[in-house]
């Protein structure tokens, strides 16, 4: 079958205004809980979109590691391509692509760094090998081979043997502070349900249904 003939109907569910929580944080937590209950693989995986100084968008998957009234938190190398993009242009977008549930969530907002204390607390909660990998990887820089990366990892493993692994200066976290959040539920005949929350200056949220 040709690619242009690949299709399926979205029949799992619908989404009505009466079902929505008052804030996007509450609605995301509801959907996230349902994604976990459904056994969805990596329900906290989200696509982060940034734009560099040349206007070139880039996307990559990162993991949501915290969500609260302020926004959506993730951690990464502070010298990576995405970190450089966000330093120049803090406007970003997140996408949770929950295909098996026929759902997606899009977050629009501005990114801000989390404190070193918060980053340190999360870093120390990671498995030891993940801590060592953060030191070993110079994210987004060129590598000659897989062996070079493995060698860097083994060097860090030896350097910190029997010691607590400190938080690298080049590693930390970001919080995406949302200005709008869209919830999409697939519908039959491509008549999908889309609702977007937009924040007012006073901090309250307005909800609007969008045409699919």
């Amino acid at each position: 079958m040709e690619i242009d003939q690949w299709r399926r109907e979205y029949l799992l569910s619908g989404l009505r205004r009466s079902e929505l929580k008052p804030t996007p944080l509450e609605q995301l937590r509801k959907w996230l809980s349902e994604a976990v209950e459904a056994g969805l693989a990596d329900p906290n995986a989200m696509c982060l979109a940034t734009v560099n100084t040349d206007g070139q968008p880039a996307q990559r998957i990162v993991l949501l590691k915290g969500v609260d009234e302020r926004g959506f938190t993730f951690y990464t190398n502070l010298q990576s391509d995405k970190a450089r993009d966000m330093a120049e242009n803090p406007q970003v977008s997140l996408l949770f692509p929950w295909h098996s549930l026929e759902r997606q969530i899009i977050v629009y907002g501005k990114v801000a760094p989390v404190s070193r204390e918060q980053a340190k607390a999360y870093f120390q909660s990671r498995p030891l090998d993940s801590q060592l990998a953060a030191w070993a990887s110079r994210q987004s820089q060129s590598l000659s081979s897989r062996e070079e990366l493995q060698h860097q990892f083994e060097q860090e493993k030896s350097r910190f043997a029997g010691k607590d692994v400190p938080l690298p200066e080049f590693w930390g976290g970001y919080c995406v502070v949302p200005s709008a959040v869209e919830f999409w539920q697939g519908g039959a005949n491509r008549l999908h349900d889309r609702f977007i929350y937009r924040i007012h200056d006073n901090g309250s949220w307005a909800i609007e249904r969008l045409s699919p």
Side-chain angles (χ1 to χ4, degrees), residues 143-207:
L143 278 170
S144 62
S145 65
R146 172 75 187 186
E147 287 70 26
E148 180 186 355
L149 179 61
Q150 190 64 43
H151 177 66
Q152 291 171 185
F153 178 78
E154 294 300 331
Q155 282 187 318
E156 300 299 344
K157 194 171 183 179
S158 296
R159 181 159 74 106
F160 292 115
K163 305 175 185 177
D164 291 334
V165 181
L167 173 69
E169 287 298 321
F170 55 82
W171 201 91
Y174 295 91
C175 179
V176 178
V177 182
S179 57
V181 184
E182 179 184 327
F183 293 83
W184 181 99
Q185 177 73 62
N189 304 313
R190 299 302 186 264
L191 299 178
H192 313 303
D193 291 307
R194 296 175 61 192
F195 288 93
I196 190 164
Y197 292 74
R198 303 184 198 274
I199 196 165
H200 291 309
D201 292 340
N202 64 5
S204 64
W205 292 92
I207 304 175

Side-chain angles (χ1 to χ4, degrees), residues 3 51 56 61 74 81 84 86 113 121 123 129 137 154-155 158 163 171 184 187 191:
I3 292 177
V51 179
Q56 174 62 56
I61 297 295
F74 65 94
D81 284 347
R84 285 192 288 270
M86 292 185 294
F123 185 81
D129 283 352
S137 174
E154 294 300 331
Q155 282 187 318
S158 296
K163 305 175 185 177
W171 201 91
W184 181 99
L191 299 178

Side-chain angles (χ1 to χ4, degrees), residues 30-100:
K30 178 178 184 292
W31 271 20
L32 186 59
S33 176
E34 292 172 0
V36 172
E37 291 174 4
L40 190 69
D42 301 320
N44 63 327
M46 56 190 186
C47 180
L48 167 68
T50 60
V51 179
N52 68 14
T53 53
D54 296 325
Q56 174 62 56
Q59 302 172 72
R60 74 288 287 165
I61 297 295
V62 297
L63 296 178
L64 177 69
K65 289 299 179 177
V67 57
D68 56 26
E69 286 70 19
R70 185 177 179 219
F72 305 82
T73 299
F74 65 94
Y75 296 88
T76 189
N77 188 301
L78 302 179
Q79 298 173 350
S80 62
D81 284 347
K82 58 181 168 295
R84 285 192 288 270
D85 287 354
M86 292 185 294
E88 295 292 336
N89 181 358
Q91 299 290 340
V92 302
S93 181
L94 302 171
L95 169 68
F96 293 85
W98 295 341
H99 305 299
S100 62

